[in-house]
Amino acid sequence: MSVQVQPAVSDQVIVYNKRRGTELALILFAQTFGFGGWIITNLNLYGDLPDNLIPVACIWFGMGIAAHLIVRLKLPYADPLILPSVFLLNGLGLAMIYRIDQIPDPIKTDSATQLLWTALGLGLFALVVFLLRDHRRLQRYPYLLFIAGLVLLLLPLAPFIGHASGGAQIWIRVFGFSFQPAEVAKILLAIAFAAYFYEKREVLALAGRRFMGLELPRARDLGPIAVMFVLSILVMVFQNDLGTSLLFFGLFTVMIYIATERIAWPILAGAGFVGAAFAAFFFTNHVARRVNAWLDPFSNYDANLQIISAQFGLAWGGLFGRGWGLGRPGLTPLAKSDMIAAALGEEIGILGLMAIVMVYGLLVARGFKTAVTSPDGFGKLLAAGLSFTFALQVFAIIGGVTRLLPLTGLTTPFMSQGGSSLVANWIIIGILMVISHHARRPQAATAAPQDVASNSEDQTAVIR
Amino acid sequence: MNGPIRKVAVFVAIMMAALLANTTYISVFRTDSLNAEARNRRVRDAEFAANRGAILVGNTAIAESVSGDGTRFPYVRSYPDGETWSSVTGWYSYDYARSGLEQSYNDVLAGTSSEQTFTRVMDVLTGRRSQGANVSTTLNAAAQKAAVTALGDKQGAAIAMDYTTGEILALASTPTYDPSLLSDTNLTAARDAWSTLLNADEGPLKNRATREVYPPGSTFKLVTAAAAIEDGWVPSTEVDSPDSLPLPGSSRSMGNSTNCGGTRITLEQALKVSCNTAFGNVGLQLGSEKLQAMAEAFGFNQEQTIDISAATSRFPTDIDAAQTALSAIGQYEVAASPLQMLQVAATIANDGTMMRPYIASAVTNRDLSVLQSTTPTELGQPISSATAEMLQQMMVATVESGTGTPAQVSGLVVGGKTGTAQWDLDQPPYAWFVGYAEDPSVAIVAFVENADIERNDISGGRLAAPIFTAILEALR
């Protein structure tokens, strides 16, 4: 499938600023946050600078410079704000994992592992940038990717390699390594959806009848929705993983909505999901317990210890936080992974947590901007879908930790401990950067002015 | 497709705004209640590990915070000579809260009182770790040590007070314990120590001086005598003192444990030899209302006003004649704390003016500025000074040639009253001695609940009076 109809080309050419120098400055600046957190933790806990200050500085800032050089070399027109945001979040996550490492005696080294995963993530980012010269090549095999994604998603249910931990059956264990295949499935399915919906968008949008003011799709086009719907329920029921279920359903819904521009889809899908969620609430203990822990955690202190400890941590941190190393994040179970937002809230305060949410907001906004700017529909869909997965994860997990929503076990992108998530997210950043580079390349402006070019009249738009 | 993308972007913006709004909500509305939650370990740890102020006797700390072992508890509460002072300081523990001065002055010791707001702000601004204020006490180290030593292994209590001001000079309850065991930062060890102390038969955690009430026995005759004199009696007024006084409306009768020296004796003689039947008759002649009014004037049936936790002493209401006769000699349902009987003796010694007893004289910031200071307060005038003088004369006679002779201290004018309170025929009686000296102006109560000795040997004069004299000697 190739780009179908292109508007006539005008004689003007749009050239975006590359802003690679700005990007480098911003990356180094963003990296100082995590790096500073690491140093302050050492000062507060041990009254001394860390022993390996110089080597860690070289590795950490070296990674930032390397990422920048890769981009400067291969994607000179890519968005200059995406990488700094990622480095800021990744650095804060590393610093907080290091800080929590210091609590038990003897101290742990999870932060070193996480740094290794970061390096591997960066390596895969580089690989994506070098191999995927044009993201449209991903458009070719939607069905294959879809099936591969499904298999990965359901792999933890397979005997022998499937592995449950913390109540959720979402890991596989091979040769002693644990991995969450859903993280990779997320990427494959996003690509598959983007390709499928882009191809079928007109059929999905135009066929069907009107019913109560909504454009209803044809029954046979409901097939993919039905598959996704069933899949989400499977994940919810058999893997005990509300978060992943929500994530895939959200991704799917947003992409079909963007592709078809029909509001009926999200309404239909949303109603289906709400119905399923209610059913899960009434028919599974798992969901009911989560909802109860959300609405009234103190009704069962022992069972809801995690969410209660997180609340205590946030309250103890207050507006400005206790300071790196001075809080008690170790009192919250899973403070390194699911609850890292609570640990950060305790030590850098509600304001720090808000700043982190803002940075996620910035990252997602740049992703949507990439989607809006992208001249090809597949890139638009893919960039928007991937950005939305970030937003949904942040909303679900930070909302869960702060008791805006029932808690679902999702990772906090780039911050939570865990290699699968970190590596997958770095790959997504690679894909986003490639799309962004293609979107911002100098290109002939189309005769029918696109929204991108008409920036004079909607200055106040949230995303441009 | 850009239209839907923008709408999704707006949707995402709303999600992020909801997160920010919710964190703001936590910060504004939930923080206080979460930090007040009893199970919030962070708050409890911080409080327990705080650099609390010291409790001082003179310039010596009897409770202080010293540097602890680790990161969880940088400070630990320490009680130098804790066994001597535990009945005053109380304990300070992670799981079992506080007692004594640690409890009643908790906010200033912790530095969280409203008066210390400015200090706290300055500490934050200058980067200092905040410290609590020190509490200075009125206690006298020699008197306290004498009290604890004299009580020894016995279950009992002793309190000494300057009756002109209300300053408590000694306050002991035995057997004692070391509060450091309960403030241990090894919480398991502290829990073990707690359960050992709590389950010990001798009840070391009870504060017998203020928190427990017992039948006051013959020491209550001071109150009966005060009521009689206020009613127009004089020490030479005579009253029937038969060997056995039939209790009106019952088949029982009241007997004497001592020889009253006749079947009709003076009020002074009755107090001197602690004649039960004579005081039973005094009670019957006065009636329950006058007795109750006098007891309540001294503080019975009212909350104690001392600055540590104290129990309310009881005088029964709506009683018949037989119960009145029994109550007049401190039996039936009359129950008093040692502190209450001290107040009776102190008021008599202070010419009828009752002073408010207090332990903490001042609260001082670490920069030595005074936050609070206590001044002597009159609680009232239960008896006239003429009545007080007559009672003093009778109490002095009791020590000179009555049951109180073991309380004599050469060179001092001492007045007192013994008490041997039977409360259960199978249990040893309680031994009491309440008394005062003129110079130093001190009132002292000594009380022994159980001394583990032959029951016929138990009497207020023999068992409690030596404790009285030991404390008095220490205060000379």
Side-chain angles (χ1 to χ4, degrees), chain A residues 261 328 346 354 380 402, chain B residues 1-2 20 22 24 42 45:
Chain A
E261 310 196 12
R328 305 278 304 280
E346 181 170 355
M354 286 178 149
K380 268 185 201 301
T402 56
Chain B
M1 286 190 273
N2 284 348
L20 297 181
N22 189 52
T24 309
R42 290 169 173 91
D45 286 0

Side-chain angles (χ1 to χ4, degrees), chain B residues 139-150 160 169-170 409 412 437 440 442 444 466-476:
Chain B
L139 296 161
N140 178 303
Q144 178 77 11
K145 288 199 176 89
V148 172
T149 312
L169 303 171
V409 176
L412 292 188
V442 57
I444 301 171
I467 299 168
F468 170 89
T469 53
I471 299 171
L472 192 52
E473 288 284 0
L475 283 168
R476 292 185 78 168

Side-chain angles (χ1 to χ4, degrees), chain B residues 112 133 174 197 224 260 300-301 306 328 331 344 402-403 462:
Chain B
T112 55
T174 52
L197 288 171
T224 310
C260 295
F300 282 81
N301 297 341
I306 193 170
Q331 300 283 354
V344 172
T403 53
R462 236 173 304 172

Side-chain angles (χ1 to χ4, degrees), chain B residues 296-339:
Chain B
E296 286 178 358
F298 275 115
F300 282 81
N301 297 341
Q302 290 168 35
E303 218 168 280
Q304 283 286 351
T305 52
I306 193 170
D307 49 6
I308 60 174
S309 155
T312 299
S313 300
R314 294 192 303 268
F315 186 87
T317 51
D318 294 327
I319 48 178
D320 62 20
Q323 290 161 347
T324 306
L326 285 170
S327 298
I329 61 165
Q331 300 283 354
Y332 186 54
E333 284 177 359
V334 183
S337 63
L339 177 67

Side-chain angles (χ1 to χ4, degrees), chain B residues 151 153-158 172-175 200-209 211-215 336 338 419-424 426-433 446-453 455 458-460 463-464 467:
Chain B
L151 282 164
D153 294 338
K154 301 187 257 301
Q155 293 169 38
S173 166
T174 52
D201 291 337
E202 310 83 44
L205 293 179
K206 284 183 183 172
N207 192 333
R208 294 177 165 86
R211 289 280 301 146
E212 307 286 322
V213 292
Y214 308 92
T420 311
Q422 298 200 346
W423 55 284
D424 184 331
D426 298 328
Q427 297 289 327
Y430 297 144
W432 288 85
F433 190 88
F447 164 74
V448 177
E449 181 181 346
N450 189 350
D452 204 17
I453 58 171
R455 74 173 279 146
I458 295 172
S459 79
L463 205 56
I467 299 168

